[in-house]
């Protein structure tokens, strides 16, 4: 009994201290378990969120792809899934989350819901966006250089003609 209690304490410690959200849902996608990282990540209280679904806090543009993934796992069309989506936090911010989900089964092997993790990838998405913008700007450099070179060539023709006209006027 003491050994089982110690293992439970270790498990509880890991689940409560990890930075990723650990979750479980029932077959309808309703949260049945969320660790404390949920509140730190989204601002929503764990107890108030139980009974809700991930779609309740998902950005409207990302709801359909996320629902499709969870429905496919629950219908056993796939065993596991990874999806990146935007989450709307309690303070009206948008955070990017990566959901790793898998089918949860009971002792008899019957599906009973989902379990998995949610990882905050907002910083990574921000850096990817900045890198993409930098690459686009970097690609514009040679184009701007060639436009400037062509403009300079045309300008030199005009300047040459003006100089020639001045000589002819004298």
């Amino acid at each position: 009994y003491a050994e089982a209690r110690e293992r439970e304490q270790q498990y509880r410690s890991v689940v409560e201290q990890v930075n990723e959200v650990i979750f479980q849902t029932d077959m309808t996608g309703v949260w049945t378990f969320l660790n404390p990282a949920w509140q730190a990540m989204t601002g929503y209280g764990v107890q108030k969120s139980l009974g809700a679904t991930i779609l309740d806090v998902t950005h409207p543009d990302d709801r359909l792809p996320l629902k499709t993934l969870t429905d496919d796992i629950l219908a056993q069309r796939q065993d596991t899934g990874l999806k990146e989506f935007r989450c709307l936090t309690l303070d009206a911010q948008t955070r990017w989350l990566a959901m790793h989900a898998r089918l949860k089964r009971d002792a008899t092997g019957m599906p009973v819901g989902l379990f998995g993790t949610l990882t905050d990838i907002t910083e990574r998405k921000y850096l990817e966006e900045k890198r993409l913008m930098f690459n686009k700007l970097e690609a514009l450099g040679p184009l701007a250089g060639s436009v400037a070179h062509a403009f300079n060539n045309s300008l030199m023709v005009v300047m040459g003609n003006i100089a020639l006209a001045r000589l002819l006027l004298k």
Side-chain angles (χ1 to χ4, degrees):
Y1 176 77
E3 188 177 316
R5 187 172 172 93
E6 183 179 327
R7 283 188 185 148
E8 180 188 351
Q9 187 61 29
Q10 287 175 338
Y11 163 78
R12 191 174 299 276
S13 174
V14 168
V15 168
E16 289 179 0
Q17 299 301 317
V18 72
N19 288 332
E20 284 78 26
V21 172
I22 299 172
F23 70 87
Q24 291 181 357
T25 74
D26 63 14
M27 287 298 287
T28 63
V30 171
W31 298 124
T32 58
F33 175 83
L34 290 162
N35 69 337
W38 172 254
Q39 184 164 354
M41 194 177 289
T42 66
Y44 296 105
V46 170
Q47 291 303 316
K48 288 187 177 182
S49 295
L50 296 177
T53 71
I54 188 66
L55 298 176
D56 295 333
V57 295
T58 301
H59 189 281
D61 295 342
D62 297 339
R63 286 184 185 143
L64 182 60
L66 189 61
K67 181 166 178 23
T68 300
L69 173 70
T70 57
D71 287 350
D72 284 350
I73 296 172
L74 289 169
Q76 301 179 51
R77 289 188 286 269
Q78 63 187 74
D79 290 333
T80 185
L82 167 65
K83 192 65 168 170
E84 295 178 354
F85 65 98
R86 290 166 291 178
C87 172
L88 306 173
T89 64
L90 184 62
D91 59 356
Q93 292 184 5
T94 301
R95 311 278 314 159
W96 276 96
L97 303 181
M99 181 179 77
H100 296 263
R102 132 171 285 136
L103 189 64
K104 180 183 174 196
R105 297 178 184 275
D106 65 11
T108 65
M110 293 298 296
V112 292
L114 297 174
F115 72 95
T117 60
L118 297 170
T119 307
D120 188 337
I121 58 169
T122 305
E123 186 67 24
R124 186 191 88 200
K125 285 291 200 177
Y126 174 77
L127 293 174
E128 286 175 0
E129 184 180 311
K130 290 296 181 190
R131 185 183 48 146
L132 182 62
M133 284 178 27
F134 177 76
N135 288 344
K136 286 179 180 178
L137 287 174
E138 194 174 46
L140 285 177
L143 176 64
S146 65
V147 167
H149 183 71
F151 181 73
N152 188 38
N153 287 344
S154 299
L155 188 60
M156 292 312 292
V157 169
V158 171
M159 295 299 288
N161 284 334
I162 290 172
L164 184 59
R166 280 187 180 163
L167 284 175
L168 293 174
L169 286 175
K170 287 183 181 179

